[in-house]
């Protein structure tokens, strides 16, 4: 028997349960990531099967769905990925369901049907019209606090690769990481991870940028903590992408922006949806390249319906694009509106998926996340503040986990934490240490020890007719030895000439901020006319190859120099030096000491030269990194680099000549729309004084099989010598403009290249007469051995330029370049040693480029 009070209680409970069930709400959350690399996928659509209920993932790939009615399954779909579906449990009101999606190529042509004008075009025109209001370039200056996280992994591990000795030693740790990757995730081996806090500053006019690395925590396999690594992990200097520009620079490539001036000619567009993105009602816009072999993106962006500003973008460059060694480049960016109306990047995530070079090798995965906040606009600093673009604070190293718990903008994921632990395991494996050492030698040319390095390996051995088998060994100290003093030295010996060659240098870094260095050096070596280091420049590989073979135009040179170099303000460098050089040729050589006496003048077959040099170099917006005690330029591709040089010869310190020499050089690399990228080197020189031919301007020829960008590739060594000249070396890379559109070969990713080299010069009669025969001289040193024949040192016709043109194919098997050159003038001119002219030359080179 049920009592009335009990009955009432049961009724209340039943009613309460019925009410709760009627008002029950299911909550489903999760993270959507790329199954291959673990990268979050923003803008993915997550929905319940058979129902009009769903959500979209945010910038971190997170979704939240709240609903009173639940279907039996949940799905996720997004552009360029396979659609996934999972079963739901209706008995559970709060569920966490993560998705890992497999990549899949997609073309918008399959789904887009328009009647009349594409509706996306009106929105894109509005975006262009409002660009001046929304683009960060409208700001005079801005600054913000930044947190960045970088990770480098080994991925695409084949079963055969896992069987290698190095892999077996860390297999246990890898298995833990595989479990964390989840049901669909691919195994990866973290090799580097870092966290960085920095302050970033930008000034628009003149354009200046600066990043101060405040704190960092760096852990990696083979990574030696120091200035170079600390500067790279900052991120904002390298990853401050602006999609309003016509091109987005990445890895030295210019990727066509979907919101640049050519948005209609390069991309196909689809207006997909309208959604709320952080309080902004936005148009969802999908874009797809018209030619996937071009340097273009595929992805999705959200544009504010009121201001027509770019709010978020997720852009990917696939492996179909004409980029080497890369399976994918992905850039995701979320922007925030400032008080002045312009938008700045608040979050940026980029990923580089480096392809495996062979079937059984592994690939690499570079991921970086940058979070910016506390924006301050239109408060520019003094110009001098930006002199050092990247600055690392003295106490930047901060490994304390408690500090980072408070400092980082977002918490680390479980995968991040395990990755850090795995790095400790991997970097202590002996075979890994060996691989790291080999990689360092290949990259730097030196075998590094604690405080110095031995090398460079490319100069260890050469064979030529003068020296026989030449061996050379050198060293240089590093920043562990001293952060101010740099010591360098080398010694070489030939089995045929039995002559010791040597060199030494001592440098002192006075200031790193304004890069002020003073030094003294001395050397004795065998050189060649027109192929000396100061003429060849930084092309160390070409210089090493010129030391093989016949070795014509050889001479011994004893050189001493004192120099001072400084950068008083950003982009301007001054160098001054006092140099003495001795010229002792191994070929028949003489010049008249008193040319006014004609054939009755005495002659000399060697000379000493003492001169002062002042050089001014102007390179706007050039950025440098410090690698220990060395400064590495990242170039100044979009503005000319101008170098002006003046030399004054003096009759002091055994100098035989008094003269003036003026030189100028301009280099620039620039983009020509969709046609490709060009670069040119414009040079000029003038010597008003009569001097022996080796002291004039011997023009750089190339008799090797290897291509040299700075040389005249159909010209013999020192074939022409001028006392007044102007030259132009012009090169153009069409990227994939032609070959990308030829069906039979577009998969090869070849790149058409073209070049033209022009030289206009002359040699005055007084310089020619100075080299004419007169009273011969006998040098006892030369009578002991066989001299090479006399050379002509011809001048150019001032009314007839030397011209050569070239064309070829770059990126053959991703590393080879073959270029043909035609000589169009001086086709009857003999080389200094009497060789026939070369109207045609075929050159090859090996280089790694993306």
């Amino acid at each position: 028997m049920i009592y009335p009070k009990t009955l009432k209680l049961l009724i209340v409970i039943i009613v309460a349960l019925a009410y709760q069930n009627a008002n029950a709400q299911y909550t489903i959350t999760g993270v959507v990531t790329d199954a291959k690399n673990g990268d979050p996928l923003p803008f993915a659509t997550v929905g319940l099967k058979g129902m009009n209920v769903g959500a979209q993932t945010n910038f971190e790939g997170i979704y939240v769905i709240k609903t009173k009615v639940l279907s039996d399954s949940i799905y996720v779909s997004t552009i360029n990925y396979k659609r996934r579906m999972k079963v739901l449990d209706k008995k559970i009101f709060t569920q966490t369901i993560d998705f890992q999606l497999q990549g899949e190529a997609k073309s918008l042509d399959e789904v887009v049907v328009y009647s009349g004008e594409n509706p996306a075009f009106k929105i894109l025109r509005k975006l262009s019209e409002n660009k001046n209001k929304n683009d960060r370039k409208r700001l005079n200056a801005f600054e913000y606090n930044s947190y960045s996280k970088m990770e480098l992994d080994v991925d695409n591990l084949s079963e055969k690769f896992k069987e290698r000795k190095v892999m077996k030693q860390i297999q246990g740790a890898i298995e833990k990481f595989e479990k964390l990757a989840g049901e669909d995730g691919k195994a990866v081996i973290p090799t580097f991870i870092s966290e960085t806090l920095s302050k970033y500053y930008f000034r628009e006019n003149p354009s200046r940028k600066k990043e101060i690395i405040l704190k960092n925590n760096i852990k990696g396999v083979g990574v030696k903590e120091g200035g170079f690594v600390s500067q790279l992990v900052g991120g904002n200097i390298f990853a401050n992408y602006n999609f309003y520009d016509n091109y987005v620079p990445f890895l030295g490539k210019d990727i066509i922006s979907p919101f640049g001036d050519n948005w209609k000619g390069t991309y196909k567009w689809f207006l997909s949806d309208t959604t709320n993105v952080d309080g902004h009602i936005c148009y969802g816009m999908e874009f797809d390249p018209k030619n996937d072999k071009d340097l273009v993106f595929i992805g999705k962006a959200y544009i504010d319906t009121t201001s027509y500003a770019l709010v978020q973008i997720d852009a990917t460059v696939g492996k179909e694009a004409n980029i080497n060694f890369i399976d994918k480049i992905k850039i995701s960016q979320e922007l925030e509106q400032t008080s002045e109306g312009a938008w700045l990047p608040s979050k940026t995530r980029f990923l580089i998926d480096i392809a495996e070079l062979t079937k059984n090798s592994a690939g690499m995965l570079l991921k970086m996340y940058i979070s910016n906040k506390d924006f301050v606009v239109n408060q520019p600093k003094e110009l001098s503040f930006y002199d050092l673009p990247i600055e690392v604070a003295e106490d930047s190293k901060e490994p304390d986990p408690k500090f980072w718990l408070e400092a980082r903008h977002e918490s680390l994921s479980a995968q991040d934490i395990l990755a850090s632990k795995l790095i400790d395991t991997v970097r202590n494996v002996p075979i890994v240490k060996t691989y790291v050492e080999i990689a360092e030698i290949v990259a730097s040319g030196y075998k590094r020890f604690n405080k110095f390095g031995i090398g460079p390996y490319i100069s260890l051995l050469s064979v030529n007719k003068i020296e026989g088998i030449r061996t050379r060994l050198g060293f240089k100290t590093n920043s562990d030895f001293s952060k101010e003093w740099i010591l360098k030295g080398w010694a070489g010996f030939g089995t045929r000439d039995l002559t010791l060659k040597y060199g030494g240098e001592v440098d002192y870094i006075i200031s790193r901020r304004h890069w002020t260095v003073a030094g003294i050096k001395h050397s004795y070596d065998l050189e060649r006319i027109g192929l000396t280091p100061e003429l060849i420049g930084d092309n160390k590989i070409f210089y090493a190859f010129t030391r093989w073979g016949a070795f014509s135009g050889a001479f011994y040179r004893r050189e001493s120099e004192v120099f001072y170099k400084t950068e008083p303000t950003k982009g301007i460098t001054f160098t001054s030096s006092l140099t003495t050089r001795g010229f002792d040729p191994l070929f028949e050589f003489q010049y008249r000491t008193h040319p006014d006496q004609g054939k009755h003048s005495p002659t000399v077959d060697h000379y000493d030269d003492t001169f002062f040099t002042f050089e001014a170099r102007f390179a706007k917006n050039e950025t440098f990194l410090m690698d220990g005690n060395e400064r590495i330029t990242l170039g100044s591709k979009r503005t000319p680099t101008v170098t002006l040089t003046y030399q004054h010869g003096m009759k002091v310190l055994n100098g035989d000549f008094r003269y003036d020499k003026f030189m100028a050089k301009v280099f620039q690399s620039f983009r020509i729309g969709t046609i490709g990228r060009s670069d040119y080197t414009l040079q000029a020189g003038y010597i008003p004084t009569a001097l022996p031919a080796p002291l004039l301007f011997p023009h750089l020829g190339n008799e090797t099989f290897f291509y040299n960008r700075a040389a005249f590739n159909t010209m013999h060594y020192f074939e022409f010598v001028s006392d007044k000249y102007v030259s132009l070396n012009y090169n153009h890379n069409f990227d994939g403009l032609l070959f990308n559109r030829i069906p039979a070969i577009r998969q090869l990713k070849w790149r058409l290249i073209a070049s033209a080299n022009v030289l206009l010069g002359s040699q005055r009669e007084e310089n020619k007469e100075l080299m004419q025969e007169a009273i011969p001289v006998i040098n006892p040193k030369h009578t002991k051995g066989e001299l090479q024949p006399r050379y002509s040192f011809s001048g150019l016709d001032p009314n007839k330029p030397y011209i050569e043109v070239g064309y070829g194919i770059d990126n053959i098997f991703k590393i080879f370049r073959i270029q043909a050159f035609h000589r169009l003038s001086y086709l009857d001119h003999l080389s200094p040693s009497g060789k026939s002219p070369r109207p045609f030359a075929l050159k090859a080179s090996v280089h790694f480029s993306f």
Side-chain angles (χ1 to χ4, degrees), residues 227-290:
F228 182 68
V229 175
S230 299
Q231 294 163 81
L232 286 176
V233 297
N236 280 280
I237 287 288
F238 312 103
N240 210 311
Y241 308 114
N242 189 347
F243 283 88
Y244 285 119
D245 291 338
N246 290 330
Y247 297 93
V248 178
F250 202 95
L251 299 174
K253 295 292 184 181
D254 295 311
I255 308 174
I256 302 174
S257 172
F259 301 108
D261 294 339
N262 199 25
W263 57 265
K264 189 174 183 180
T266 307
Y267 289 95
K268 296 173 286 186
W269 289 91
F270 173 59
L271 178 59
S272 59
D273 55 24
T274 302
T275 190
N276 188 315
V277 179
D278 292 334
H280 300 276
I281 306 301
C282 297
Y283 297 113
M285 309 280 288
E286 293 186 12
F287 49 90
D288 199 37
K290 291 187 175 180

Side-chain angles (χ1 to χ4, degrees), residues 253 293 295 319-326 733-736 739-740 745-753 808-819 843-850:
K253 295 292 184 181
K293 292 295 183 293
L295 294 179
K319 62 181 179 181
E320 298 83 8
N322 198 324
I323 300 181
N324 293 329
F325 316 114
I326 300 294
N733 193 321
F734 290 91
D735 293 328
F739 293 129
N740 284 356
I745 62 174
R746 66 196 303 260
Q747 301 297 332
L748 300 175
K749 298 185 179 181
W750 287 355
R751 302 164 187 169
L752 177 65
I753 51 178
I809 301 175
D810 193 15
N811 210 44
I812 301 173
F813 300 117
K814 298 183 180 180
I815 60 172
F816 294 108
R817 172 185 182 132
I818 297 178
Q819 189 162 358
K843 303 292 181 181
S845 65
V846 177
H847 68 108
F848 292 89
S849 68
F850 291 105

Side-chain angles (χ1 to χ4, degrees), residues 428-578:
N428 292 319
V429 175
I431 195 170
V432 171
K433 294 181 179 179
T434 302
Y435 287 163
V436 168
E437 288 183 1
I438 294 173
E440 283 185 349
I441 294 173
V442 173
S444 68
Y446 284 81
K447 171 66 173 79
R448 181 186 172 112
F449 296 92
N450 288 335
K451 297 182 178 182
F452 64 94
I454 299 294
Y457 67 87
I458 196 171
S459 301
L460 289 177
L461 180 69
S462 61
V463 180
N464 60 70
K465 291 186 178 180
I466 302 296
E467 297 174 288
I469 301 175
R470 171 189 166 115
T471 56
R472 182 185 186 274
L473 189 64
F475 79 94
K476 66 177 180 179
T477 61
N478 55 46
S479 57
D480 292 333
F481 171 81
S482 172
K483 293 188 180 300
E484 291 82 29
W485 292 97
I486 305 171
L487 308 181
K488 302 176 184 178
W490 62 270
F493 190 79
T495 59
R496 185 171 183 180
D497 68 345
L498 302 178
T499 301
L500 177 67
K501 294 90 177 177
Y502 55 87
E505 182 176 349
V506 179
D507 299 340
Y508 181 74
I509 301 175
I510 301 171
S511 169
R512 289 176 179 268
R513 185 177 188 84
H514 293 288
W515 192 242
T516 303
V517 183
I520 183 170
K521 54 186 176 181
H522 176 76
S523 64
Y524 181 73
D525 201 0
L526 185 69
E527 299 288 359
R528 304 177 71 180
I529 294 177
L531 295 169
T532 54
E534 61 269 15
L535 292 174
I536 292 177
D538 293 331
N539 196 333
K540 294 180 175 61
I541 296 178
F542 179 75
Y543 178 69
F545 278 118
T546 63
R547 289 197 163 273
W548 293 71
F551 218 84
S552 56
F555 66 94
Y556 287 106
R557 181 166 80 175
R558 190 181 305 276
E559 180 180 53
S560 300
E561 180 177 293
V562 179
F563 70 89
Y564 177 84
K565 181 177 184 178
T566 185
E567 186 183 48
T569 186
K570 180 176 170 57
I572 301 178
T573 304
F574 296 128
T575 306
S576 58
S577 61
L578 180 64

Side-chain angles (χ1 to χ4, degrees), residues 685-729:
Y686 175 60
I687 302 174
T689 315
L691 291 172
L695 285 176
L696 301 178
F697 299 112
H699 301 294
L700 184 60
N702 183 7
E703 294 183 14
T704 72
F705 293 106
F706 298 95
Y707 167 73
N708 184 351
R709 180 184 296 267
F712 294 91
N713 288 279
T714 58
M715 185 185 292
H716 290 284
Y717 294 142
F718 48 92
E719 181 177 349
F720 295 102
V721 178
S722 301
D723 53 41
K724 179 172 59 177
Y725 82 98
V726 61
S727 68
L728 174 67
N729 297 78

Side-chain angles (χ1 to χ4, degrees), residues 87 130 152 155 263 295 348 356 361 376 635 644 696 721 781:
V87 176
N130 289 274
L152 181 64
D155 71 341
W263 57 265
L295 294 179
T348 301
E356 55 270 31
S361 66
V376 177
L644 303 176
L696 301 178
V721 178
K781 292 187 299 181

